[in-house]
Amino acid sequence: MSNSAEAITQRPLRVAIIGAGPAGVYAADILTKAERDFEVSIDLFDRYPAPYGLIRYGVAPDHPRIKGIVNALHKVLDRGDIRFLGNVDYGQDLTLSDFRHFYDAVIFATGAIKDAALNIPGVELDGSYGAAEFVSWYDGHPDVPREWPLDAKEIAVIGNGNVALDVARILSKHADDLLSTEIPDNVYQGLKGSPVTDVHIFGRRGPAQVKFTPLELRELSHSRDVDIVLYPEDFDFDEGSDEAIRTNNQTKTMVNTLTNWLVEEQDTGASRRLHLHFLHTPLEIVEGTGDGAGHVAAIKFERNELDGTGNVRGTGEIVEYPVQAVYRAIGYFGSELPEVGYDGRRGVIPNEGGRVIDESGSPVPGIYATGWIKRGPVGLIGHTKGDALETIGFLLEDRLDLPAAEEPDEDAIVKLLEERGVAYTTWEGWLKLDAHERELGASFVAEHNDDGAPAVERERVKVVPREDMIKISQH
């Protein structure tokens, strides 16, 4: 047995997980529950003062099922066997060398937070936005501006995934109907003043090839005073589509839902309309003229047709829609991290099954990845459990070959953070912030009960400024 392996067997295995979203929490939970004959000591780091990552800052606030995921993550962190250290920025507050000094293994679970690129003319115009930016704004992300330009009457959303539906639903929904969620006050005020009348969602393929889920689709029809508009020419089904409908219950459910909406021709005279378009490939975001120079004025598409396999080819027909804003919801992309390899084509840390590899393809001892930064931003939140299980399996297999930490004492990393003046937050601090946000929600009800209007019950109101989150957490 090597000296390093002998050192590790004499004490708890020290593991740092960078990223406290679902991927990081699942990895920590699986490691604590794994069959083993040794103790583990896990620290879960996040660059934000609060935990939960994508659940707090990347999912629409009007999703009821998200509460269930938050509750599950809360139970894991509330057990007391995983230490949370928030407001610690990897690469700035702590380097990889720091982590390797204090831990035997490091797992990156940093996710994917920026927009995938859409390379068409006009994408740089004012009024052209990445969906990830907008999601961060309406979710109260502490690092994005508090204001968002919501002056467009007609809006295009490019994409046929769940994020596209989220963005379109939030843009078309009346702000008052979001008060029962945790949206921050600045988001409510911004949406309240929106003059939007029409939101168009555009997908490249047909109704049988959409990437969203039945639940997301059905939620569109729950918005008050919003009509759903579909177009008969978009409902084309080839052999590949028919096969998908026959063999996949989810596809069958969504096609049935869309077809029913088309037949019903929903037109109630609502003040807002949500249009679903298929078989459209974006070609150009059109710039305005005169006073509109530099700003989005329209968007051009090429009409597609299905090729028999469920894929599409262009028809040469060009169509143009007048819009004043375009939201690109074509996927997320992982960001490069200091001192760690990066696959710029896929937006991931190069790895094999979660073992991070170097340029020669050899595993880097003690460094692992899980979640979207491991496999790319595809799949639902629950899929990260399988990622974590695989990664943790390899970590446990490698245990005796890990480079032993020089200072494995649990207090050592906290002492370093304090020496560097890092205003880190803890799980106890999150409980204080959580209670504060719930109190803000309760006080909203009290303030609005005296004007004769129906009381709005708010479970919480999210705190946005980072400095306020830290202050409340450390109070």
Side-chain angles (χ1 to χ4, degrees):
M1 183 180 294
S2 67
N3 292 336
S4 178
E6 185 174 359
I8 288 176
T9 60
Q10 302 302 312
R11 55 170 174 76
L13 182 70
R14 290 284 284 146
V15 178
I17 301 176
I18 303 172
V25 176
Y26 290 151
D29 187 38
I30 289 170
L31 181 54
T32 59
K33 294 176 179 176
E35 288 188 21
R36 48 188 166 76
D37 57 0
F38 57 91
E39 295 183 19
V40 294
S41 170
I42 304 170
D43 287 341
L44 188 63
F45 292 85
D46 204 276
R47 64 179 301 198
Y48 307 120
Y52 305 146
L54 177 69
I55 297 298
R56 184 171 171 91
Y57 294 123
V59 180
D62 57 346
H63 279 320
R65 75 179 189 279
I66 297 306
K67 292 181 181 178
I69 298 175
V70 168
N71 290 339
L73 299 180
H74 178 98
K75 288 179 181 178
V76 172
L77 295 179
D78 202 43
R79 292 196 309 248
D81 55 355
I82 300 165
R83 183 167 63 174
F84 171 70
L85 295 169
N87 201 44
V88 179
D89 194 358
Y90 170 78
Q92 181 172 321
D93 297 322
L94 293 176
T95 66
L96 182 58
S97 298
D98 293 327
F99 279 103
R100 305 207 74 158
H101 183 81
F102 295 101
Y103 299 92
D104 306 307
V106 181
I107 303 174
F108 286 94
T110 51
I113 59 173
K114 67 180 182 180
D115 287 286
L118 177 64
N119 296 315
I120 61 173
V123 75
E124 77 289 342
L125 292 171
D126 288 341
S128 171
Y129 310 108
E133 301 172 56
F134 182 59
V135 171
S136 292
W137 175 75
Y138 68 59
D139 272 335
H141 195 295
D143 296 339
V144 301
R146 301 293 301 279
E147 307 300 323
W148 189 271
L150 289 163
D151 50 7
K153 289 187 176 182
E154 299 159 303
I155 299 171
V157 179
I158 302 173
N160 256 179
N162 285 340
V163 175
L165 294 193
D166 281 352
V167 167
R169 193 179 64 255
I170 295 297
L171 286 167
S172 60
K173 208 165 187 175
H174 291 276
D176 285 348
D177 294 334
L178 288 166
L179 276 175
S180 59
T181 75
E182 63 183 23
I183 62 166
D185 288 336
N186 66 296
V187 175
Y188 168 72
Q189 295 299 335
L191 293 171
K192 182 75 172 175
S194 170
V196 66
T197 58
D198 293 84
V199 177
H200 300 261
I201 305 174
F202 294 96
R204 190 175 61 87
R205 299 202 286 173
Q209 288 81 39
V210 294
K211 296 297 184 182
F212 39 75
T213 57
L215 178 61
E216 293 274 354
L217 181 61
R218 285 194 295 268
E219 284 182 0
L220 292 184
S221 65
H222 298 160
S223 295
R224 178 183 62 84
D225 191 34
V226 179
D227 280 343
I228 297 176
V229 183
L230 297 105
Y231 299 86
E233 62 268 27
D234 289 344
F235 281 73
D236 186 20
F237 301 96
D238 62 356
E239 293 178 10
S241 301
D242 292 339
E243 177 67 15
I245 294 169
R246 282 195 303 269
T247 59
N248 188 303
N249 286 332
Q250 179 167 298
T251 299
K252 180 179 180 180
T253 298
M254 288 189 291
V255 169
N256 286 342
T257 299
L258 289 167
T259 304
N260 288 339
W261 288 352
L262 176 66
V263 172
E264 291 167 3
E265 293 187 13
Q266 196 183 89
D267 183 5
T268 67
S271 66
R272 295 178 177 179
R273 289 162 295 279
L274 184 56
H275 307 255
L276 293 173
H277 303 268
F278 305 101
L279 300 172
H280 283 66
T281 292
L283 296 179
E284 179 187 358
I285 300 173
V286 181
E287 181 178 0
T289 59
D291 292 342
H295 199 283
V296 172
I299 184 168
K300 287 183 180 180
F301 295 88
E302 180 178 13
R303 289 282 302 176
N304 296 325
E305 62 184 8
L306 293 165
D307 66 1
T309 68
N311 291 311
V312 295
R313 57 185 170 231
T315 65
E317 179 188 355
I318 308 301
V319 291
E320 182 174 316
Y321 297 84
V323 296
Q324 300 81 52
V326 175
Y327 289 79
R328 309 179 304 275
I330 59 172
Y332 287 93
F333 206 72
S335 301
E336 186 171 3
L337 298 165
E339 301 182 80
V340 184
Y342 181 66
D343 181 341
R345 185 179 59 84
R346 298 178 56 224
V348 300
I349 297 174
N351 70 93
E352 292 182 354
R355 286 185 176 118
V356 172
I357 57 176
D358 61 21
E359 293 180 357
S360 68
S362 301
V364 180
I367 308 297
Y368 301 86
T370 191
W372 280 3
I373 200 63
K374 168 188 173 183
R375 61 180 167 86
V378 292
L380 302 176
I381 291 171
H383 293 159
T384 56
K385 289 183 179 179
D387 277 340
L389 192 62
E390 180 182 51
T391 297
I392 295 302
F394 282 129
L395 187 156
L396 293 174
E397 186 179 306
D398 299 340
R399 175 186 169 232
L400 296 181
D401 296 318
L402 297 173
E406 294 180 37
E407 286 191 73
D409 185 80
E410 291 184 355
D411 294 332
I413 187 67
V414 173
K415 182 179 179 182
L416 178 65
L417 291 172
E418 291 173 347
E419 288 175 352
R420 292 182 177 177
V422 179
Y424 67 89
T425 59
T426 64
W427 179 247
E428 291 71 23
W430 160 246
L431 295 179
K432 294 177 183 177
L433 178 58
D434 180 48
H436 179 81
E437 291 184 344
R438 292 178 184 276
E439 289 170 5
L440 289 178
S443 65
F444 181 93
V445 174
E447 290 172 6
H448 290 72
N449 272 344
D450 300 329
D451 59 2
V456 176
E457 293 186 11
R458 304 199 67 182
E459 183 176 339
R460 70 191 309 123
V461 177
K462 195 178 288 183
V463 174
V464 179
R466 182 184 288 262
E467 58 272 19
D468 289 353
M469 295 173 69
I470 296 170
K471 181 179 179 180
I472 295 164
S473 297
Q474 295 182 337
H475 179 69

